[in-house]
Amino acid sequence: INAPQIVSWANEEQPQISFNLVVVNADTGIYGEEIVRALNTIDVLNVSTQTDLALTDELVANREVDAALYIPDTFSQEVNDYQPTVLEVIVDPTQEASVGLISGILDSVAAEVNLVGEIQYGIREVLAESPAFGSLEPGRCPTLRTAVSLGLCP
């Protein structure tokens, strides 16, 4: 059974809880990658990836991991289009403390990605109304690096 573990008492540090999280990222866009990148920077998560959602579900059911996150293939497009989207979190419901902590971490990461998506959508909408940007031919973009890097060009 892989329950949350105490990973360090060395040098009088406070104990730190860690969770084993498996991520199935079916999304090929930037936002799915950002979710995975952000999760890998969180010290209390031991993140691994998997491509088989059914196997991932079994890993959670068998308590080989604490939780799994499924990022659907439509995630980046839905965030980019400012449409509702869902990240599926698979947890063992009998591990109430873990469920709350893991869900809180994942909610925080998803909220940051959602905020970036909202900002980019808003900027695109403003630019679309701007005479300078609205008159651009499709596929043409001004030399404004920010617009290119944020995907703001029409």
Side-chain angles (χ1 to χ4, degrees), residues 67-84:
L69 173 66
Y70 174 68
I71 304 170
D73 60 348
T74 57
F75 182 69
S76 284
Q77 187 62 49
E78 289 169 341
V79 170
N80 202 38
D81 293 343
Y82 196 54
Q83 297 296 315

Side-chain angles (χ1 to χ4, degrees), residues 18-67:
S18 68
F19 299 100
N20 296 313
L21 175 71
V22 175
V23 178
V24 177
N25 183 9
D27 185 47
T28 58
I30 186 174
Y31 295 114
E33 291 175 16
E34 281 300 310
I35 292 279
V36 174
R37 186 195 59 72
L39 292 172
N40 276 303
T41 65
I42 298 173
D43 292 337
V44 298
L45 296 179
N46 300 314
V47 180
S48 61
T49 58
Q50 178 59 254
T51 57
D52 185 340
L53 185 58
L55 175 61
T56 302
D57 197 35
E58 288 179 32
L59 292 172
V60 174
N62 294 333
R63 293 188 179 174
E64 294 177 45
V65 297
D66 299 303

Side-chain angles (χ1 to χ4, degrees), residues 117-127:
E118 284 181 37
I119 292 169
Q120 289 184 358
Y121 178 81
I123 292 171
R124 280 193 309 274
E125 289 298 305
V126 168
L127 290 177

Side-chain angles (χ1 to χ4, degrees), residues 83-144:
Q83 297 296 315
T85 189
V86 175
L87 296 175
E88 183 179 345
V89 180
I90 304 165
V91 292
D92 180 349
T94 65
Q95 303 296 320
E96 289 182 37
S98 297
V99 170
L101 290 169
I102 292 168
S103 294
I105 291 168
L106 296 176
D107 284 347
S108 179
V109 169
E112 289 193 28
V113 169
N114 186 48
L115 179 61
V116 170
E118 284 181 37
I119 292 169
Q120 289 184 358
Y121 178 81
I123 292 171
R124 280 193 309 274
E125 289 298 305
V126 168
L127 290 177
E129 298 295 322
S130 168
F133 285 89
S135 63
L136 289 175
E137 297 173 26
R140 298 239 357 190
C141 187
T143 58
L144 183 63

